[in-house]
Amino acid sequence: MNSKLRVWHPFTQEALDPAPLRITRAQGVYIYTGDGRRFIDAISSWWVNLHGHCHPAMMAAIAEQTAKMDHVLLAGFTHDGVEELSQRLRKVLPRELEHIFFSDDGSTAIEVALKIAVQYWQNSGRAQKQSIVALEHAYHGDTVGAMSVSDDSIFNDPFRSFRFPVHRVHSAYCYRCPVGKTRASCDIDCVEQLARLLAEKHAEIAAVIVEPLLQGAGGMIVHPVEFLQRVRHLCTQHDVLLIADEVLTGFGRCGKMFACELAGVVPDLMCLSKGITGGVLPMGATVCTGEIHRAFVSDDRTRAFYHGHSYTGNPFAAAAAIVSLSIFESEPVFERIGAIAKIHRERLAAIANHPAVGDVRSIGTVAAIELRADDAGYSSRLRPKLYSFFLDAGVLLRPLGNIIYVLPPYAITADELHYVHDRIAESLDHCEEWSKPASAAHSV
Ligand code: PLP
């Protein structure tokens, strides 16, 4: 028996993975270990950090909050933090999204959206509209509803039996086109499957959920904007709600404040988290149209939305989120985003024809390189080799199997970002060796 209570680390196979590195300090794009090593946090600490670690204004806002108020519940009470944050978000969200429901993280923002969608139809007298449509390669989180709408994967395989059934339709994964087209010859034919499904079953479908333009954990898959536009059009045509999961894509990640903006699309529900607080404290939020909210306002108590997490609307998280949004105004954040996007495009173009590379893709601050591998997928042999190679070079990257991606804080400098791309370019020359099964690798 252990005398210590030992931390059980997420996404870690203790028997195979290196021991976790103990981080003692974080500043800007760097995280530091106590023994003096430093790493460029090139994935923004699981896609949350926007302005760099320990941004002084963010730290000051949190410190200031300590003098005012700690956590108070949000049922029957409100506070300046969530009220001000809501007004600031109102300025950057599509005008049609008029109500905000706070929760704790990305997964709970998804649970809330799914439950609002289903209860909306129930409250509107159309209770048969219950089922959800989700995309292949989707990832929406680790709670049960979020796992259900996520596609089958190593992440949720043990829980197959209690994920609820959903309609699964093609995503626009152009490199592995589900309908055998090439981008040059296609007319977004992959969306036809959704079109047929909605034409046939719209009477029982509550909502379609998508990660707009960028599917993250499923492989950093970038969709053509037309795909999202067509999905929006089909949802409107068939009276089905569109849920946009902007948990990853929101707050500038894809080049605009929200990915939906790039396609000129307004969803009925939008899920926010990760970057909402600049990546400093946990917070989730689900925003929806006035029409959806109206279906919950009634003199009938059973129509209320009975969902609430203990830390919903936490004042410290709200303070951080307010400052993060003000940094978008006080600092040239979108210029930084544009500069990152340009470097990504140039560096990807330079390696696109390397024999180890199958596909390169980028959107805004996210760049991905899909490596050729006979064991493509999250458990690819390439993954641990790449991970260690990058750490040894002082760069934190967590490839999704055979897919390397870069998703840095917006505060990264050109030199730092080039350093990351240089290491990736170097790694490509090792991929042939690393992709061999262990016995074959030793025999040569
Ligand atoms: N939705 C998307 C698109 C995500 O990428 C994630 C997490 O990576 C989630 C939802 C779940 O967020 P969280 O991990 O905060 O629960």
Side-chain angles (χ1 to χ4, degrees), residues 156-418:
N156 56 37
D157 201 46
F159 316 108
R160 260 171 203 265
S161 62
F162 65 88
R163 287 164 66 212
F164 59 73
V166 301
H167 299 282
R168 185 75 52 199
V169 295
H170 293 325
S171 95
Y173 191 173
C174 299
Y175 176 58
R176 297 177 187 273
C177 176
V179 292
K181 297 274 174 146
T182 63
R183 193 64 191 93
S185 69
C186 100
D187 183 25
I188 317 293
D189 305 71
C190 52
V191 87
E192 287 309 314
Q193 196 188 24
L194 174 68
R196 285 193 297 276
L197 177 71
L198 293 187
E200 197 189 324
K201 298 220 158 104
H202 60 92
E204 62 185 64
I205 293 173
V208 175
I209 182 165
V210 298
E211 290 157 88
L213 302 190
L214 175 69
Q215 290 184 293
M220 295 296 160
I221 301 164
V222 180
H223 297 168
V225 289
E226 294 86 349
F227 177 75
L228 182 59
Q229 290 163 345
R230 296 272 286 275
V231 172
R232 171 69 276 182
H233 178 73
L234 287 166
C235 287
T236 307
Q237 188 184 353
H238 294 292
D239 215 6
V240 163
L241 300 176
L242 175 62
I243 303 172
D245 174 354
E246 294 251 15
V247 167
L248 161 62
T249 53
F251 302 99
R253 196 44 82 187
C254 290
K256 293 268 188 195
M257 196 55 117
F258 300 104
C260 284
E261 269 178 75
L262 288 161
V265 156
V266 178
D268 301 291
L269 292 134
M270 190 189 273
C271 305
L272 307 173
S273 187
K274 290 198 187 277
I276 191 171
T277 62
V280 171
L281 284 163
M283 172 174 261
T286 305
V287 282
C288 71
T289 60
E291 187 187 335
I292 291 177
H293 180 260
R294 271 193 293 283
F296 290 78
V297 180
S298 161
D299 51 14
D300 176 354
R301 278 207 175 276
T302 65
R303 291 196 178 189
F305 186 51
Y306 289 106
H307 184 114
H309 299 283
S310 314
Y311 283 102
T312 285
N314 178 267
F316 290 94
I322 291 165
V323 179
S324 176
L325 285 173
S326 71
I327 291 172
F328 274 90
E329 289 163 14
S330 61
E331 297 184 19
V333 177
F334 279 103
E335 276 171 38
R336 291 173 189 156
I337 289 170
I340 293 169
K342 185 163 177 285
I343 292 174
H344 279 338
R345 285 193 300 270
E346 288 165 4
R347 297 301 304 253
L348 291 185
I351 57 168
N353 294 324
H354 190 286
V357 173
D359 188 36
V360 293
R361 39 193 186 250
S362 72
I363 181 166
T365 66
V366 183
I369 301 115
E370 181 158 347
L371 301 170
R372 296 183 196 280
D374 57 13
D375 62 347
Y378 192 77
S379 304
S380 170
R381 284 183 291 277
L382 283 168
R383 202 246 171 219
K385 303 279 190 192
L386 290 162
Y387 180 70
S388 306
F389 177 84
F390 296 131
L391 277 189
D392 288 346
V395 178
L396 168 55
L397 287 171
R398 287 178 57 92
L400 294 158
N402 59 311
I403 300 168
I404 304 171
Y405 69 90
V406 189
L407 195 156
Y410 307 155
I412 197 166
T413 64
D415 284 350
E416 288 158 347
L417 188 54
H418 279 299

Side-chain angles (χ1 to χ4, degrees), residues 47 105-108 110 139-142 211 217 245 247-248 273-274:
W47 319 349
D105 50 42
S107 300
T108 54
I110 298 293
Y139 176 80
H140 296 287
D142 290 345
E211 290 157 88
D245 174 354
V247 167
L248 161 62
S273 187
K274 290 198 187 277

Side-chain angles (χ1 to χ4, degrees), residues 67-117:
K68 294 187 203 154
M69 179 169 103
D70 61 356
H71 184 71
V72 290
L73 80 171
L74 209 63
F77 292 86
T78 192
H79 55 79
D80 290 349
V82 290
E83 293 299 332
E84 185 180 341
L85 173 58
S86 304
Q87 294 333 303
R88 284 187 178 252
L89 285 169
R90 178 83 176 129
K91 289 193 195 138
V92 292
L93 283 164
R95 295 303 293 166
E96 292 83 347
L97 301 178
E98 297 177 352
H99 294 267
I100 180 160
F101 191 97
F102 286 101
S103 58
D104 295 353
D105 50 42
S107 300
T108 54
I110 298 293
E111 300 289 337
V112 167
L114 297 172
K115 287 174 72 174
I116 289 180

